[in-house]
Amino acid sequence: DSELSELSVVFVSDIDGELGTVTPQEDGTASLELEGLSIGNQDITATVTDVHGLTATDVLEFVINDLPDAPEIELGPDPATTIDELVVSIVTESTDEEGDELTYRYVWSVDGVESSASDAATLSSEATAKNQTWSVVVTVEDAYGEGGSTEASLSISNTAPVMSTDPVVLTPEEAATDEELLCIYSEGTDVDEDELSYTVRWDLDGAEVAGETGASLSGDYTTKGQSVTCTVTIVDDEESG
């Protein structure tokens, strides 16, 4: 140990010059923590000197890497619903001073919990549900390690329900003025599986019948020769279809 303490190790870079002098540790290793080294390939010479002035030299080859900076990203579409695939767009690419090939790593989370639904730039709509908040962290990497990261998030909005493609039927086709009219329709669908309701608008000669929103209309409202229409609107807990 006393012999080691009598040694000194000088590190000199062929780019940045003398970097520092240290005394070897008890296990014989000599280390130096540095910041601000010039980027690129460097030859660093370690010269060991004892108390008699005798020296030994070795040259170490290093690649000083500057990690790439974070990209600028967008997550869309915004607003998004449960039928939309979520897509990360790289608005501004990361840059790397050494010109290394860069890759991006994607980590998705839902409501603050990391998700395995995707590790790519897209997330299937099948993974999302109404009122969830999805976020994605995009991290750039070069051959030497991870660079900067950027996060984006959005909330999943309600998807409007959809009426059936079956035609709405007004019956009877030829009604007397005292007959009740029926507006017959098929049930619609909602990808959010919300409870659905229906409202019916009745019009006589183009004028809405106030207060009547059910599927039937009393013959008390009609007179001979009038034109009657019924319009069905499907509604979930947030919006109409």
Side-chain angles (χ1 to χ4, degrees), residues 36-124:
L37 290 175
S38 298
I39 304 303
N41 297 324
Q42 290 200 31
D43 290 339
I44 296 179
T45 301
T47 302
V48 182
T49 304
D50 66 11
V51 292
H52 304 293
L54 299 176
T55 63
T57 300
D58 196 7
V59 178
L60 308 174
E61 295 181 356
F62 286 89
V63 177
I64 310 302
N65 181 59
D66 186 24
L67 292 171
D69 60 7
E72 181 182 347
I73 66 172
E74 287 183 355
L75 179 59
D78 192 8
T81 68
T82 47
I83 62 174
D84 293 314
E85 179 182 68
L86 303 187
V87 180
V88 180
S89 300
I90 305 295
V91 178
T92 303
E93 296 278 355
S94 298
T95 57
D96 186 87
E97 188 168 333
E98 300 81 46
D100 294 331
E101 182 178 354
L102 303 180
T103 59
Y104 297 103
R105 182 165 55 86
Y106 300 85
V107 177
W108 293 86
S109 298
V110 53
D111 296 332
V113 179
E114 187 172 324
S115 170
S116 61
S118 176
D119 60 1
T122 59
L123 178 75
S124 170

Side-chain angles (χ1 to χ4, degrees), residues 97-166:
E97 188 168 333
E98 300 81 46
D100 294 331
E101 182 178 354
L102 303 180
T103 59
Y104 297 103
R105 182 165 55 86
Y106 300 85
V107 177
W108 293 86
S109 298
V110 53
D111 296 332
V113 179
E114 187 172 324
S115 170
S116 61
S118 176
D119 60 1
T122 59
L123 178 75
S124 170
S125 60
E126 295 179 359
T128 67
K130 184 174 71 172
N131 297 326
Q132 290 178 334
T133 297
W134 279 88
S135 61
V136 61
V137 176
V138 181
T139 302
V140 63
E141 300 175 345
D142 65 11
Y144 302 97
E146 293 184 357
S149 297
T150 306
E151 182 174 5
S153 62
L154 55 75
S155 296
I156 305 300
S157 302
N158 181 65
T159 300
V162 179
M163 279 293 296
S164 169
T165 57
D166 296 337

